[in-house]
Amino acid sequence: MASPKTFFSCLSLLVALILCFSPTHSTNTIGKGYRLISIEESPDGGFIGYLQVKQKNKIYGSDITTLRLYVKHETDNRLRVHITDAKKQRWEVPYNLIPRDQPPPVGKAIGKSRKTPITVQEISGSELTFSYTTDPFSFAVKRRSNGQTLFNTSSNSAFGEMVFKDQYLEISTSLPKDASLYGLGENSQANGIKLVPNEPYTLYTEDVSAINLNTDLYGSHPVYMDLRNVGGKPYAHAVLLLNSNGMDVFYRGTSLTYKVIGGVFDFYFVAGPSPLDVVDQYTALIGRPAPMPYWSLGFHQCRWGYRNLSVIEEVVDSYQKAKIPLDVIWNDDDHMDAKKDFTLSPISYPRAKLLNFLDRIHKMGMKYVVINDPGIGVNDTYGVYQRGMANDVFIKYEGKPFLAQVWPGAVHFPDFLNPKTVAWWGEEIRRFHELAPIDGLWIDMNEVSNFCSGLCTIPKGKKCPTGEGPGWICCLDCKNITKTRWDDPPYKINATGVQAPIGFKTIATSALHYNGVREYDAHSIYGFSETVATHKGLLSIEGKRPFILSRSTFVGSGKYAAHWTGDNQGTWQSLQVSISTMLNFGIFGVPMVGADICGFYPQPTEELCNRWIEVGAFYPFSRDHANYYSPRQELYQWDTVANSARNALGMRYKILPYLYTLNYEAHMTGSPIARPLFFSFPEYTECYGTSRQFLIGSSLMISPVLEQGKTEVEALFPPGSWYHMFDMTQAVVSKNGKRVTLPAPLNFVNVHLYQNTILPMQQGGLISKQARTTPFNLVITFPAGASEGYATGKLYLDEDELPEMKLGNGQSTYVDFYASVGNGTVKMWSKVKEGKFALSKGWMIEKVSVLGLSGAGQASEVEINGSPGAKIEVSSKEHTYVVGLEEEGENKSVMVEVKGLEILVGKDFNMSWKMGISGAN
C-alpha cells in the first residue's frame, strides 16, 4: 500500500503532466497573473514598475507576491525587459561571465497602487516601442517604423497570464502565422533550420548524442530570430531570454510559451531589421565571436583510438602521400596517462618522442590539439588532483567535493565560478604546455557529463573502472538524491526528451558552487564557464590567439571558442541535420562550427563519406573524427573519397583568404561564416526554409548531394547570376529565382558564386601556411550579359596568431576591392588600409578573372596604374548556361582572364581595359 506521502506525490505529478501536455491548457489554470501597481522613470534612464499577484495558488509552488519590472532602451536598436522578485535577489547569469548593464538593485520601497490606473502606456525608443496593460499586466514590443507587433504577452485563447513562482516561470507571446522562426537550441532539427510548430524545444545542457532528434543537447541558447515579409519587404528581429535554468519552449505557430524552472525573465529584443543587423546587434550584447588563427580554417583530422604516437605519425604521412590538405592532427584521450587530464602516457606517447614529432610538424606549419575533460581523477598520486584539493577548487555536496565518474574513473568537477579555480586551471594548462607544446585545447564532456547519477562513493574491494568494456558503465556505489526541491522540482522539463530527472547523469542539482550558487541554477553555464577559464589560461601562456573547441555552449560562448555538433552518426540523416545545426550556431554567435565529417559512429559507407567531405570541406570548422570502435575513416582510406577530398578541400584551401576575411567580419560584426540563404536574400521568401544548401559569406553557395545514390541535385537559385567555381564558364541565370537540377557525379560538388562579387583567392596547397604564400587571383562577377555592372569584395590579412584581430597594430592590412563595367570599359581598383604588413609579405595579385561580361569580344588596351600592361596574357571564353540567358532573352556573355600580373596587394591599384563587344554601349 502506498503511503499518503507517496499518493500525494503521484497525484501532484499527474496534475502537472495534465497541465503541461493538455492541448487545451492555458496558464489561466495556474493563475490570473499580476497587476501593475506603479511605474516611474529610474535614474539611469529606464523605467521601474511593481507588479502584484492577483490571486495565489500552489500549482508548481507559491507565487512570488510582488515583482519588480525594469524596462530600458539600452541602445537605439535594443530593448531590455527584466522582471524579478521585488524583495530579494534571484539567480541570474553572472554579470562577470556576460558583461552587461545591471538593473538597479531590488528591495527598495515599493510604490502604492494608483487610484486611477493607466490602461495602456508606451515607452518609445528609436526603433522599438514598449507598451503595457495594467490589469492584468501584459506588455508588447512593436517596431516603430511600421507599427508591427513583435512580442505580445496579452493572454488569449492560446495562452494565459504570466506566472512567476520560485521554481516555475511562464510567459507567452502571440505570433503571426507567417512568421519564420529560427534558433532555440541546441538540438538536431530533422525538419530543417526553420522551427516547426508543436515540436519540443527544451533547453538544458545534456550529454545526449546528436543523433537524438528534437531533444535538448549539449548547449543552451534561448534566443530566436523572427523573419517576416511585410508587404514584400523583409523584417527580422531577435528575442533573447537570458536565463540559464532549464526550460521548455512551446512553439505553436501562432504563439510561443516559455516554461522555466528558475531565475528571472530577462528579455532582450534587437530590432534588426535585416538578419545581418540582428546578429550584429545580438553579438554586440553577448560578445563578438572569437578571432580564429589562420591554421584553424584548414582541415583537421582526429580519431578516438590513435593508440600510440606511431599511428598519428602514419596519419600525417598518409595525408601528405595522398596529397590531401591537412593542417591539424588531434588526439582524443589516447595520449593521456590512464585518461587523466594534463598527462602523457609514458608508454603510448612518451614525451621525448612526442616532442620530436611536434617539432617536425610545427616546422611544416602543422598544429596539434588535444582533448581535455573537466572531470579530475581522484588519485592521491596525481599532481593535478593534489593541487586542486589544496586549492579547494571542486564543486561541493554537503561540504565535500561531489563525486562522479567519467573516463578516469572517480572524479571531482572543478567549480569554474570560483576565481581560485580559474587561476588553478590556468596554471595546469601552463604546466601541460611545458610538458607538450600543444596549439589548442578541445574541451569535451562539459555539460557536465557523468556516467553515474546521485550521491556516489568509491566501492571498496573492487576495481572501478574495471579496464574492460566501453568504460562508460557506472561502477561507483550510488543512491538517488530526491530529498530536495532542487533535485526534484515541481515542474518537470522534457529533459533528454523523456522528462528525465534534471540530475540524471550529471552533477546533482542540489550541489553547490562558489558563494552558495546551486548547480540547479548554474548547470547550463558549466561548459561556458570552463571555456572562459580555458581561454584565459591559453592566452596567458605565450600571448598567442587561443584556439578552443567546446562541446557545451551557452549564450556568449562564441566569444571564446569554436563548437562541433557532437556525437553524430555515419548516416545520411546526420549529414543532412548537420547543415541546420551549423546554420543555427551562426545565429547564436558561434560562427566557427562544424560536424564530425563522415560521422562519429558507426563507420559510414564509402559513398556517404564522399558526399560528406563535399559538404564538410565548407563547414567553417572542418574536421574528420571517428569513434574508438569504428573502423578507420581518414579521407585517404578510400580512393574515391580521397579524390573527392582533393577536389573539395582543394577549393577550400584556395578560398582561405575569403574564409579568413569572413572570420574577421564575424569578429567585428558577428556575421556568420556559414549562413542560410535568407541572410543574403531576405526578400526571396522561397528560401526561408532552405536547409539543404547554404552560403559561405554573402555570395558563395554550396548545393550538396545529401541522399544515397543520387548523381544530381535540385538546387534553389535566388534571382540573379550564379557562376560555378569549378568551371567558371558555367552559369545559372534567372530573373525571379528558380529550382534547377544540376549534375552531381560522385566526386563533384556544386559551388556557385553570386553576381556583383569580388572573391580573393590563392593557389591552394596541402598546408595553410604554404597556401598563404602563393599569389592571389581575383574572381569578379557581374550580372550575366549586363552592359553595366558593379562589384565589390574585401580582404583582411594579419599576423594570425596575435591575440587581437584588428587594424592599427602594424601587423594587419585591409583591402576593399571594386570593379565596374560600362561604356565598353572594365575597371577595377582597390583601397588599401595599412598596407605595410601586406607589403612586408610580398603578396601579389597574379590573375584576374571577370565573369558575365556582355558580348563575345576580346579585351584590349589593358592598363595598370595608368600604364600599358606588360608581360600579360589575356583570354576569353564564352559562358554556357545550365539555365540561362537564352530563356531570359538576353545577349551572350563571356569570361575574361588576365594572367601574368604583378600587382602588390598592399598598394592601391587601378586596372582597366576596353572590350571589343558587339552592341556594347
Side-chain angles (χ1 to χ4, degrees), residues 205-247:
T205 61
E206 300 266 15
D207 179 5
V208 176
S209 170
I211 67 174
N212 294 280
L213 302 177
N214 300 321
T215 189
D216 47 323
L217 297 179
Y218 312 107
S220 176
H221 294 270
V223 61
Y224 69 85
M225 180 186 290
D226 180 335
L227 176 61
R228 307 175 188 179
N229 192 283
V230 182
K233 189 173 181 180
Y235 292 91
H237 68 273
V239 179
L240 167 67
L241 172 55
L242 187 54
N243 183 304
S244 63
N245 291 83
M247 68 180 78

Side-chain angles (χ1 to χ4, degrees), residues 34 50 121 133 207 257 295 483 503 537 557 588 646 702 903:
Y34 287 77
Y50 291 95
Q121 188 168 332
T133 301
D207 179 5
T257 297
W295 56 262
K483 61 186 177 183
S557 285
F588 296 153
R646 283 187 288 267
I702 320 299
I903 298 173

Side-chain angles (χ1 to χ4, degrees), residues 720-748:
S721 300
W722 297 86
Y723 300 92
H724 205 297
M725 287 294 293
F726 287 92
D727 180 358
M728 294 181 188
T729 64
Q730 289 189 21
V732 174
V733 181
S734 69
K735 287 183 177 178
N736 301 311
K738 62 180 63 178
R739 295 187 179 276
V740 180
T741 299
L742 302 169
L746 187 62
N747 302 125
F748 187 84

Side-chain angles (χ1 to χ4, degrees), residues 528-539:
F528 178 39
S529 62
E530 184 197 15
T531 302
V532 175
T534 304
H535 187 274
K536 185 175 182 179
L538 283 174
L539 191 59

Side-chain angles (χ1 to χ4, degrees), residues 540-605:
S540 69
I541 294 172
E542 292 182 318
K544 288 186 177 181
R545 190 175 299 175
F547 176 79
I548 301 166
L549 183 73
S550 179
R551 189 168 75 175
S552 185
T553 60
F554 186 71
V555 175
S557 285
K559 183 178 179 181
Y560 305 97
H563 173 65
W564 95 107
T565 64
D567 296 346
N568 59 4
Q569 278 188 316
T571 64
W572 293 94
Q573 185 178 57
S574 280
L575 169 60
Q576 294 161 14
V577 168
S578 74
I579 296 177
S580 297
T581 307
M582 169 185 69
L583 296 178
N584 263 328
F585 269 87
I587 294 171
F588 296 153
V590 190
M592 189 64 166
V593 59
D596 285 345
I597 293 169
C598 297
F600 182 61
Y601 69 95
Q603 184 187 34
T605 64

